[in-house]
């Protein structure tokens, strides 16, 4: 960065502009909090996107001569922010996730068509979420008091009368001592549900040895409780958790002293906590893969043989099992037989997908057959790796369990429950 940027650091805004970019690489929305920055700044991002095979692999922070480009990829959309000064990248990444979460919360999903349909509300939200380039109101239920979520009737009335969704009073949450919870919340059915969701990131080598494994966990909450409830959640085995981060409502001192979560919850849906389980011996790999992919020196062909079986699933069924293989460029077609599920090979992208579904431990799924290569093409140097997708309901693969969930501060008895889900994150088997 040049010296004039550094001098202005204290006065400069944190986030200058935001571009929303679809999967195809088209900018479909832009928001500038100060002066307009030309779209050409995104060219550096598009170059990086070209180099990355998968959109998830685009580097989250890119440096250009005058700016930093910080981005996230969510729901097949890129949220790309332009920053002119050195700021903590994780701060900006967290803010971008808040923007995506808010859009999802307001409109039911975060998609290009819904954002375009509600573009006025989206601009109103962005205006409230950042003040002069600094995050201001990012709590969804506080925003909903300032900018009412759209309904079909309100959209029609606004179109006819020319009015907007912006509320005419200050949100009570902004004025209360608990900014994430609005005052005077009332429900006829009081309920608090929590989802413990774990993603396994793993690399397994050809011999079946785990090279790398970690679990990214999150506890998602859906709380609809009257008044000002005070909740506490304890775990059977909190020592498993590394590197935890909490919603601002969690009392950190109580976590440090007792390893318990104590909090007055926001109203509605929110992320209570994120965590890691990174010590390799605690990460169990739920499936094993026996595979053999080989390309012959003579003749334009190769063989493929893959079998998948359950390994450590804690007695639960593996569902939504899918294998994706990025084949070498020379592979023209695949003539395979699947004992379960079905497969497809996309010649343009060279991606083979085997959609298995539920894993039956009594009859293991197998995919085998021949691969045709371009004639005259050299034998591929590297064998492709397998990407595994799966889900296991009602289990957190780390072994994390909620032991108690209690409520104080209110007299009624709420419905409460905890569900568990394990799924594959970036799960790769090398061949």
């Amino acid at each position: 960065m040049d010296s004039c940027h550094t001098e202005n650091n204290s006065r400069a805004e944190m986030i200058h502009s935001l571009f929303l970019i679809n999967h195809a690489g088209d900018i479909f929305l832009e928001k500038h909090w100060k002066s307009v920055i030309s779209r050409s700044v995104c060219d550096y991002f598009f170059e990086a996107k070209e180099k990355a095979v998968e959109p998830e692999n685009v580097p989250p922070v890119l440096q250009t001569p005058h700016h930093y480009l910080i981005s996230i990829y969510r729901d097949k959309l890129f949220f790309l922010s332009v920053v002119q000064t050195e700021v903590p990248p994780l701060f900006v990444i967290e803010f971008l996730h808040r923007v995506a979460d808010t859009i999802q919360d307001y409109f039911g999903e975060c998609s290009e068509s819904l954002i375009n349909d509600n573009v006025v509300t989206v601009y109103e939200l962005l205006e409230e979420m950042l003040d002069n380039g600094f995050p201001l109101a990012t709590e969804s239920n506080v925003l909903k008091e300032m900018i009412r979520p759209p309904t079909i009737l309100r959209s029609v009335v606004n179109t006819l009368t020319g009015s907007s969704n912006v509320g005419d009073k200050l949100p009570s949450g902004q004025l209360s001592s608990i900014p994430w919870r609005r005052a005077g919340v009332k429900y006829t059915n009081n309920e608090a549900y929590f989802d413990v969701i774990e993603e396994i990131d793993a690399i397994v080598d050809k011999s079946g040895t785990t090279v790398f494994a970690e679990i990214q966990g999150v506890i998602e909450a859906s709380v609809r409780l009257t008044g000002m409830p005070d909740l506490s959640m304890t775990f059977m085995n909190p020592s498993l958790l590394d590197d935890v981060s909490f919603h601002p409502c969690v009392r950190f001192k109580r976590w440090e002293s007792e390893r318990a979560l104590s909090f007055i919850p926001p109203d509605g849906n929110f992320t209570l906590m994120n965590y890691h389980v990174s010590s390799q011996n605690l990460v169990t790999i739920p499936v094993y893969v026996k595979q053999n992919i080989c390309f012959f020196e003579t003749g334009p062909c190769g063989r493929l043989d893959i079998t998948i079986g359950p390994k450590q699933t804690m007695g639960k069924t593996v569902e939504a099992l899918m294998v994706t293989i990025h084949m070498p460029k020379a592979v023209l077609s695949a003539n395979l037989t699947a004992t379960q599920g079905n497969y497809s090979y996309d010649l343009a992208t060279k991606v083979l997908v085997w959609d298995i579904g539920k894993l039956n431990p009594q009859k293991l799924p197998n995919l085998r057959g021949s691969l045709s290569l371009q004639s005259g093409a050299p034998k591929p140097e590297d064998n492709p790796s397998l990407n595994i997708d799966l889900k296991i309901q009602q289990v957190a693969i780390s072994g994390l369990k909620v032991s108690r969930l209690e409520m104080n501060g209110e007299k009624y008895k709420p419905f409460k429950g905890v569900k568990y889900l394990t799924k594959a994150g970036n799960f790769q088997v090398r061949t």
Side-chain angles (χ1 to χ4, degrees):
M1 288 276 173
D2 55 38
S3 57
C4 76
H5 274 121
T6 351
E7 282 168 17
N8 292 334
N9 242 7
S10 55
R11 296 196 300 275
E13 70 293 323
M14 212 147 202
I15 295 166
H16 195 293
S17 300
L18 173 70
F19 294 93
L20 297 196
I21 300 165
N22 65 17
H23 196 60
D26 306 317
I27 299 167
F28 65 92
L29 184 137
E30 57 187 275
K31 166 74 180 155
H32 306 278
W33 280 273
K34 284 287 189 76
S35 54
V36 172
I37 286 184
S38 162
R39 284 184 170 200
S40 61
V41 75
C42 298
D43 292 348
Y44 294 95
F45 170 79
F46 292 131
E47 267 175 47
K49 183 176 174 286
E50 282 297 306
K51 283 183 194 155
V53 182
E54 294 291 324
E56 291 88 353
N57 297 341
V58 177
V61 182
L62 297 165
Q63 189 172 358
T64 78
H66 300 294
H67 307 94
Y68 292 99
L69 304 181
I70 301 177
S71 66
I72 63 166
Y73 182 65
R74 283 267 302 259
D75 303 300
K76 299 192 175 168
L77 300 178
F78 288 100
F79 290 72
L80 175 71
S81 62
V82 180
V83 175
Q84 285 193 314
T85 52
E86 285 196 31
V87 299
L90 285 176
F91 184 92
V92 180
I93 286 168
E94 174 62 24
F95 174 75
L96 294 176
H97 278 295
R98 283 289 177 97
V99 172
D101 290 343
T102 303
I103 289 171
Q104 187 157 357
D105 196 29
Y106 260 70
F107 311 120
E109 65 174 80
C110 187
S111 69
E112 181 182 359
S113 59
L114 270 173
I115 290 169
N116 285 332
D117 289 349
N118 297 282
V119 72
V120 173
T121 309
V122 172
Y123 276 118
E124 286 168 353
L125 285 168
L126 292 173
E127 201 58 52
E128 293 297 341
M129 290 182 83
L130 268 195
D131 178 43
N132 222 17
F134 285 88
L136 177 65
T138 60
E139 280 299 330
S140 190
N141 63 83
V142 170
L143 282 165
K144 280 178 181 170
E145 286 193 76
M146 292 192 279
I147 295 162
R148 292 182 289 269
T151 61
I152 292 169
L153 178 64
R154 193 177 297 137
S155 303
V156 171
V157 170
N158 288 354
T159 309
L160 294 174
T161 61
S163 56
S164 80
N165 290 320
V166 179
D168 50 11
K169 63 181 192 303
L170 267 174
S172 55
Q174 290 286 77
L175 307 173
S176 81
S177 59
I178 301 165
W180 55 83
R181 187 173 180 85
R182 59 196 175 91
V185 182
K186 281 193 177 70
Y187 287 103
T188 42
N189 290 333
N190 289 286
E191 48 193 34
Y193 296 116
F194 296 87
D195 288 304
V196 179
I197 302 164
E198 294 192 341
E199 279 197 2
I200 309 168
D201 292 339
I203 296 172
V204 177
D205 72 9
K206 196 171 182 173
S207 64
T209 309
T210 305
V211 178
F212 161 84
E214 69 173 12
I215 291 167
Q216 316 268 5
V218 63
I219 299 180
E220 297 287 1
S222 178
V223 176
R224 284 162 178 78
L225 297 173
T226 301
M228 207 49 91
D230 204 323
L231 301 181
S232 70
M233 178 186 281
T234 50
F235 301 100
M236 280 163 76
N237 38 10
S239 57
L240 288 172
L241 308 176
D242 312 312
D243 194 15
V244 289
S245 66
F246 302 112
H247 186 279
C249 69
V250 173
R251 298 177 179 102
F252 191 61
K253 282 215 164 76
R254 178 95 186 268
W255 170 260
E256 282 193 304
S257 60
E258 297 172 42
R259 286 290 182 260
L261 298 183
S262 167
F263 55 99
I264 293 173
D267 179 41
N269 300 340
F270 64 99
T271 300
L272 178 63
M273 164 183 173
N274 289 284
Y275 61 90
H276 253 93
V277 178
S278 55
S279 66
Q280 203 108 329
N281 54 345
L282 290 174
V283 181
T284 53
I285 305 291
V287 294
Y288 67 84
V289 181
K290 284 185 177 171
Q291 43 68 31
N292 185 19
I293 300 176
C294 58
F295 299 103
F296 305 132
E297 292 288 352
T298 54
C301 64
R303 297 278 312 157
L304 177 144
D305 192 340
I306 303 168
T307 303
I308 298 188
K311 195 174 180 184
Q312 289 158 307
T313 63
M314 301 187 188
K316 305 287 184 191
T317 307
V318 177
E319 300 172 359
L321 187 56
M322 188 184 281
V323 180
T324 307
I325 309 171
H326 287 269
M327 286 292 183
K329 286 195 168 69
V331 177
L332 292 176
S333 66
N335 184 14
L336 308 170
T337 305
T339 61
Q340 188 187 330
N342 44 49
Y343 79 92
S344 63
Y345 181 61
D346 186 326
L347 182 59
T349 58
K350 306 289 181 188
V351 174
L352 173 70
V353 176
W354 178 24
D355 189 349
I356 300 164
K358 266 189 189 168
L359 180 58
N360 178 357
Q362 272 71 49
K363 192 170 174 246
L364 300 182
N366 172 267
L367 180 71
R368 68 171 69 175
S370 61
L371 304 168
S372 303
L373 278 75
Q374 214 169 327
S375 61
K379 177 187 163 204
E381 284 175 25
D382 299 317
N383 273 3
S385 42
L386 282 55
N387 288 320
I388 311 289
D389 259 321
L390 56 82
K391 278 184 183 156
I392 307 172
Q393 303 283 353
Q394 286 314 324
V395 74
I397 203 80
S398 66
L400 184 72
K401 273 211 167 82
V402 174
S403 55
R404 292 177 80 175
L405 181 57
E406 294 174 333
M407 183 185 85
N408 296 307
E410 295 291 342
K411 294 209 166 53
Y412 58 84
K413 278 210 159 142
F415 296 106
K416 52 190 192 207
V418 180
K419 283 197 327 205
Y420 300 87
L421 172 68
T422 294
K423 55 187 184 177
N426 198 347
F427 188 154
Q428 200 176 81
V429 179
R430 293 181 173 159
T431 64

